[in-house]
Amino acid sequence: DIQMTQSPSTLSASVGDRVTITCRASQTINSWLAWYQQKPGKAPKLLIYKASSLDSGVPSRFSGSGSGTEFTLTISSLQPDDFATYYCQQYNSYSPVTFGGGTKVEIK
Amino acid sequence: EVQLVQSGAEVKKPGDSLRISCAGSGYSFASYWIAWVRQMPGKGLEWIGIIYPGDSNTRYSPSFQGHVTMSADTSTNTAHLQWNSLKASDTAIYFCARVARGDYFLRYWGQGTLVSVSS
């Protein structure tokens, strides 16, 4: 299986900060990567798919980049509603789907 | 509007059997893969597998193969996840989600079903 390593596991930041989360794949997945946001007690919400495509209705302060094995999710100016846990997911067709371990974004 | 509505929380004992459900509406249920995802208490997301309701084709993650069974009923637009003999380690929230056409990311999610297994 393809292993997805997210870093950091926890991130403390303030409103207005620029935040970057990294996800590394154990082998190339081209651009088959999605990012999700999850708040406590809720289902995950899709933010980004195909590494950099913003899902409909997602604020433009979220952006994704990368290809191959290294990917980033950036929040350009952190808002109060953005404090949550973020997961990456690889969906290369020729391997079981796997998620990263998650990054919790906390209030500094 | 696409909706996935899951069955309610369950409290079971080790060795019990269980089937939880996920009812889809607002789209052609038979034509989209449904995924199941596990989230153990305080932990991350784990991919269980997917089922195509149109022909009940299934693909399991190796970690879950043989431990759970996915099924779907197009007459009721409902997908199911089933255990024959629960273990305490099955305690988790289980989410269903609709797989995007042509890709394997998940845009629409159910609200989750909490399964608690304890003696």
Side-chain angles (χ1 to χ4, degrees):
Chain A
D1 295 4
I2 297 175
Q3 307 304 315
M4 304 301 294
T5 303
Q6 262 184 259
S7 60
S9 55
T10 307
L11 187 159
S12 296
S14 301
V15 172
D17 283 354
R18 182 181 181 87
V19 166
T20 299
I21 298 168
T22 297
C23 190
R24 288 187 174 87
S26 60
Q27 63 191 75
T28 184
I29 57 171
N30 297 304
S31 296
W32 305 118
L33 187 101
W35 290 98
Y36 300 87
Q37 176 194 68
Q38 188 181 31
K39 296 182 179 179
K42 299 293 186 181
K45 174 188 174 183
L46 177 69
L47 300 175
I48 302 281
Y49 62 95
K50 213 171 284 184
S52 60
S53 296
L54 194 68
D55 198 35
S56 176
V58 175
S60 59
R61 62 181 180 272
F62 290 93
S63 64
S65 64
S67 66
T69 61
E70 191 146 337
F71 302 85
T72 58
L73 173 70
T74 300
I75 309 173
S76 60
S77 177
L78 197 65
Q79 298 302 301
D81 191 48
D82 301 338
F83 291 97
T85 300
Y86 294 84
Y87 294 94
C88 61
Q89 174 215 354
Q90 69 79 19
Y91 53 98
N92 184 297
S93 298
Y94 300 100
S95 179
V97 171
T98 47
F99 292 94
T103 295
K104 185 175 183 179
V105 177
E106 298 180 325
I107 300 173
K108 192 172 185 179
Chain B
E1 179 195 6
V2 175
Q3 282 196 312
L4 295 169
V5 178
Q6 297 186 233
S7 51
E10 301 275 1
V11 179
K12 293 290 186 180
K13 296 187 184 304
D16 284 352
S17 61
L18 174 66
R19 189 175 80 163
I20 63 174
S21 64
C22 169
S25 61
Y27 72 100
S28 175
F29 182 76
S31 302
Y32 287 83
W33 292 84
I34 290 286
W36 288 95
V37 175
R38 183 176 79 174
Q39 188 166 40
M40 299 177 76
K43 301 298 184 182
L45 305 172
E46 299 174 274
W47 184 270
I48 296 172
I50 54 175
I51 183 167
Y52 189 76
D55 60 7
S56 292
N57 188 10
T58 55
R59 300 178 189 174
Y60 291 91
S61 169
S63 300
F64 290 90
Q65 178 86 48
H67 298 288
V68 296
T69 302
M70 297 181 291
S71 61
D73 182 347
T74 54
S75 69
T76 59
N77 289 352
T78 304
H80 301 281
L81 185 65
Q82 180 176 327
W83 295 259
N84 288 334
S85 181
L86 286 161
K87 304 175 184 177
S89 58
D90 293 318
T91 295
I93 297 173
Y94 293 85
F95 294 100
C96 66
R98 196 187 83 171
V99 180
R101 190 185 293 280
D103 280 320
Y104 291 99
F105 61 86
L106 307 172
R107 177 175 283 125
Y108 300 101
W109 292 70
Q111 82 276 21
T113 295
L114 174 62
V115 174
S116 299
V117 184
S118 174
S119 54

